[in-house]
Amino acid sequence: MIDVYVKCGCIGYARQLFDVMLYRDVVSLTLMIAGYIYERHVRVAFDLFNKMRMELEPNSVTLIVMLQPCCASTTLNMGTQIHGYAVKSGLLMDWTVKNSVLRMYANKGSAEEVELLFCEMNRMDVASWNILISFYSSEGDTMRVAGLFNEMKSLEVHLWNIETLTLVISAFAKSGSLSEGEGMHCLVIKSGSSDDVLLTSLLDFYAKCGKLEISVQLLREIHFKSNITWGAMMSGFIQNGSFMEAIVLFQQMQAENLDIVPEIWRNLLDVYANLGVLKLGKMVHGYLIKNLFNGPVEGTVQLETSILNMYIRGGSMSSARACFDRMPVKDVVAWTTMIEGLGSHGFGFESLTYFSLMMEQKVQPNTVTFLSLLSACSHSGLVSEGCNIYYSMKWGFGIEPALDHHTCIVDLFGRCGMLKEALAIILKMIILPDSKIWGALLSASRVYGNKKFGEYAAQRLLELEPDNAGYYTLLSNVKASVGRWNEVEELRRVMSKMDLKKKPGWSCIEVKGVIHGFLSGDISHPEAEEIYEALGRLSRVTQDFG
């Protein structure tokens, strides 16, 4: 009866029954502890466990139950206590308890602790290996994952199973290791070990590596397509810029009457945000208000942030502000999204105001928050404010500026014509500069006609990326701005000889539910003549205003 009450979520009734029992054994105590843990009353569960030790000896099942909340805990304190008891009682000899302890350290411990415990295990089954592989996959150590799998294969008895293959493929997906992942796919085919979860991992792997045609083929082969499968395929389309294909996939999901989870709605909102189709995004928002936001649904904080981002990317800042104000829970991602959105639309001072509000709410900023703030200052020409943010990162918040933050401050100085200061930032950096930071200096040099700085930045750029056509074009524009046409012609000849072609810029806009796409210099649109005439008028007006 205690088991029934616990599984039905009636922990109060279970405790009443437990309290009136004349004889309590290990099973009844373990069930009661499991009930409290399931209801997330971890402290009560630990108190009951300590009382239990005074009356009875816990068994291996009790310890496995007790280790479950330790995996989700933010510290190792409780877990190490259970580990110590397992050693003292001799229950650590049970390999299922050892695996539970290993899983706990893999979730919260260091590589040294995990490796030490793994090496001490006298019996390592497939679950032990899978826990270790999962740990290094979460750490992003693809080389170690590959090494562990090869070690498993070299054993006399092949321990690996479908879960092992899934974990290894997922690790290669994170790192984008195409050749290694293809080798795993061959092994899957050769061994005949496959299920829908493994095929979904392969689908996700190929999508992350840009091989969408293979992902689509795998989607057809999966018999039971879960929301995770559909979400992986949709994310793959979005990551590779195939937004229209993502919309068609969503329509296919609707046609199959699937129960669409918040993650899929987030993907659809990301598609509309990238395409700038505000009207369609509003329709989705309306549907979600009516059908999803009227009750407690897990994952709605992230979904509301995606809605906020959709309004920002669609240019409707009034709707974005209203959406942000109505959010019941605002985490660091929501605050950062709002700060970045205001900055990208030129509301630099307002971005700083929202940052102050964020501090009042005691929400801890992260590196992305500071990146958004620096970008906002750069777009609005707020030099002193940007410098204060830049220096407060390390000295006020203990966050070491990364390369992207240095790039933002260089862009800020460059936009304001402070080219010497921008170059000084680059030369004083401990981190090696990349093409983005030199590109920021080159763009500023072109705007202010500084040939010396422009050529120096261009030289550094071409050393880093000699086959990037965009940088050749930028350098030729710098030389053209000072009338050095012979050198412009020489650059064009080099580009032609190397067969370098710059991808044309493109944009799209939604008007009355129809998406119109445009390429740079394109005249194929049926209303091209009227569009270019309107652009000409706008250009003349801006010139008149200086």
Side-chain angles (χ1 to χ4, degrees):
M1 284 305 302
I2 289 175
D3 190 31
V4 169
Y5 282 131
V6 164
K7 286 177 178 172
C8 292
C10 303
I11 192 70
Y13 291 140
R15 185 58 191 255
Q16 288 176 18
L17 189 58
F18 177 79
D19 287 340
V20 299
M21 289 177 71
L22 297 176
Y23 174 73
R24 302 181 188 118
D25 61 3
V26 175
V27 177
S28 56
L29 278 159
T30 302
L31 281 171
M32 204 65 234
I33 290 169
Y36 281 121
I37 288 172
Y38 182 76
E39 294 293 326
R40 298 182 181 178
H41 301 311
V42 179
R43 179 51 57 191
V44 181
F46 264 81
D47 290 341
L48 192 59
F49 174 74
N50 290 329
K51 288 178 183 177
M52 176 185 183
R53 288 168 52 196
M54 297 177 186
E55 302 173 11
L56 298 163
E57 284 295 323
N59 60 17
S60 59
V61 177
T62 313
L63 290 194
I64 291 168
V65 168
M66 288 299 299
L67 284 164
Q68 287 174 3
C70 299
C71 293
S73 175
T74 54
T75 65
L76 279 170
N77 292 339
M78 292 187 293
T80 50
Q81 290 177 36
I82 301 297
H83 183 195
Y85 178 80
V87 173
K88 186 178 178 181
S89 64
L91 289 172
L92 196 63
M93 298 301 293
D94 188 317
W95 62 273
T96 55
V97 175
K98 275 191 175 179
N99 280 338
S100 294
V101 173
L102 181 64
R103 185 175 287 105
M104 183 266 297
Y105 281 110
N107 281 353
K108 296 297 170 187
S110 65
E112 185 180 352
E113 291 167 322
V114 173
E115 287 280 3
L116 182 62
L117 185 61
F118 183 78
C119 293
E120 287 177 354
M121 296 175 76
N122 54 5
R123 177 180 176 182
M124 292 176 286
D125 63 353
V126 66
S128 313
W129 286 95
N130 286 348
I131 291 166
L132 196 60
I133 287 172
S134 179
F135 169 74
Y136 282 108
S137 176
S138 65
E139 294 286 304
D141 192 344
T142 312
M143 294 291 290
R144 183 66 177 133
V145 169
L148 285 168
F149 184 67
N150 289 332
E151 196 175 335
M152 287 180 76
K153 287 196 297 181
S154 67
L155 298 173
E156 292 182 10
V157 180
H158 291 310
L159 287 175
W160 53 268
N161 58 13
I162 291 179
E163 184 185 352
T164 315
L165 296 174
T166 305
L167 288 169
V168 175
I169 291 166
S170 297
F172 291 147
K174 290 176 187 176
S175 63
S177 307
L178 181 59
S179 58
E180 289 86 348
E182 287 176 331
M184 290 300 298
H185 193 182
C186 292
L187 181 61
V188 169
I189 295 169
K190 185 179 177 181
S191 65
S193 303
S194 180
D195 62 7
D196 290 339
V197 177
L198 178 56
L199 290 175
T200 298
S201 294
L202 278 169
L203 180 153
D204 182 56
F205 161 74
Y206 281 113
K208 283 186 167 72
C209 292
K211 301 287 185 179
L212 286 177
E213 63 283 356
I214 303 177
S215 294
V216 172
Q217 179 59 40
L218 285 165
L219 183 68
R220 296 192 191 102
E221 295 175 14
I222 297 173
H223 301 294
F224 175 72
K225 299 176 180 68
S226 65
N227 273 301
I228 296 173
T229 306
W230 290 105
M233 190 69 251
M234 199 169 181
S235 296
F237 281 133
I238 295 168
Q239 289 163 12
N240 289 278
S242 302
F243 303 121
M244 299 309 295
E245 289 83 351
I247 293 173
V248 171
L249 188 73
F250 179 78
Q251 291 168 344
Q252 188 179 342
M253 293 170 63
Q254 285 184 307
E256 297 193 18
N257 294 318
L258 293 171
D259 183 18
I260 297 171
V261 295
E263 183 62 33
I264 302 294
W265 288 114
R266 285 181 62 197
N267 284 336
L268 184 65
L269 287 164
D270 286 346
V271 170
Y272 290 156
N274 278 285
L275 291 174
V277 284
L278 188 59
K279 185 177 180 181
L280 297 177
K282 282 183 176 180
M283 290 169 63
V284 172
H285 188 193
Y287 176 86
L288 293 174
I289 290 172
K290 184 178 179 181
N291 297 280
L292 200 65
F293 291 156
N294 53 7
V297 179
E298 195 173 341
T300 55
V301 176
Q302 293 87 347
L303 187 54
E304 286 177 311
T305 305
S306 292
I307 293 168
L308 173 65
N309 182 56
M310 180 271 298
Y311 281 118
I312 290 169
R313 297 284 292 273
S316 180
M317 289 308 299
S318 57
S319 297
R321 289 187 185 93
C323 181
F324 182 79
D325 291 340
R326 284 196 297 266
M327 289 176 70
V329 179
K330 301 179 182 75
D331 60 6
V332 64
V333 180
W335 281 102
T336 301
T337 301
M338 193 65 204
I339 290 168
E340 192 275 332
L342 289 165
S344 65
H345 285 82
F347 300 106
F349 282 113
E350 202 167 340
S351 284
L352 297 173
T353 302
Y354 269 75
F355 180 65
S356 299
L357 291 171
M358 179 181 175
M359 293 297 95
E360 289 175 13
Q361 296 296 317
K362 301 194 183 322
V363 179
Q364 189 67 21
N366 57 22
T367 56
V368 183
T369 311
F370 284 105
L371 193 62
S372 300
L373 283 166
L374 290 171
S375 178
C377 293
S378 177
H379 280 85
S380 298
L382 306 177
V383 178
S384 60
E385 291 84 354
C387 289
N388 289 334
I389 292 291
Y390 181 69
Y391 288 111
S392 72
M393 277 186 69
K394 183 175 181 179
W395 306 114
F397 294 89
I399 299 174
E400 191 70 37
L403 187 55
D404 287 339
H405 301 99
H406 294 306
T407 302
C408 272
I409 206 74
V410 167
D411 187 53
L412 170 62
F413 286 145
R415 284 172 184 261
C416 297
M418 301 165 64
L419 300 182
K420 289 182 180 178
E421 291 81 356
L423 181 59
I425 290 285
I426 299 173
L427 297 178
K428 288 178 182 178
M429 280 167 38
I430 300 173
I431 315 166
L432 288 174
D434 65 353
S435 57
K436 287 182 183 177
I437 200 165
W438 286 117
L441 182 62
L442 177 56
S443 296
S445 303
R446 178 196 167 195
V447 170
Y448 288 95
N450 193 314
K451 180 191 68 161
K452 184 178 178 181
F453 277 66
E455 290 184 344
Y456 181 74
Q459 187 179 349
R460 303 285 83 77
L461 272 171
L462 295 178
E463 287 172 2
L464 290 168
E465 296 183 26
D467 57 348
N468 191 314
Y471 297 144
Y472 280 93
T473 304
L474 265 176
L475 179 58
S476 70
N477 290 338
V478 170
K479 293 182 181 296
S481 65
V482 291
R484 294 167 65 176
W485 299 109
N486 290 336
E487 294 178 32
V488 171
E489 284 296 321
E490 179 60 29
L491 281 170
R492 296 291 180 183
R493 277 195 294 271
V494 171
M495 287 179 68
S496 178
K497 185 178 179 180
M498 296 174 66
D499 196 27
L500 297 178
K501 294 179 181 177
K502 185 179 181 294
K503 290 183 179 179
W506 69 277
S507 63
C508 63
I509 188 171
E510 172 254 329
V511 180
K512 297 179 180 179
V514 179
I515 300 171
H516 301 264
F518 300 91
L519 284 172
S520 178
D522 182 24
I523 56 170
S524 62
H525 194 277
E527 297 178 58
E529 189 175 337
E530 293 88 340
I531 291 168
Y532 279 103
E533 185 181 337
L535 282 172
R537 288 199 302 271
L538 285 169
S539 179
R540 289 191 293 273
V541 169
T542 41
Q543 285 176 5
D544 291 342
F545 278 97

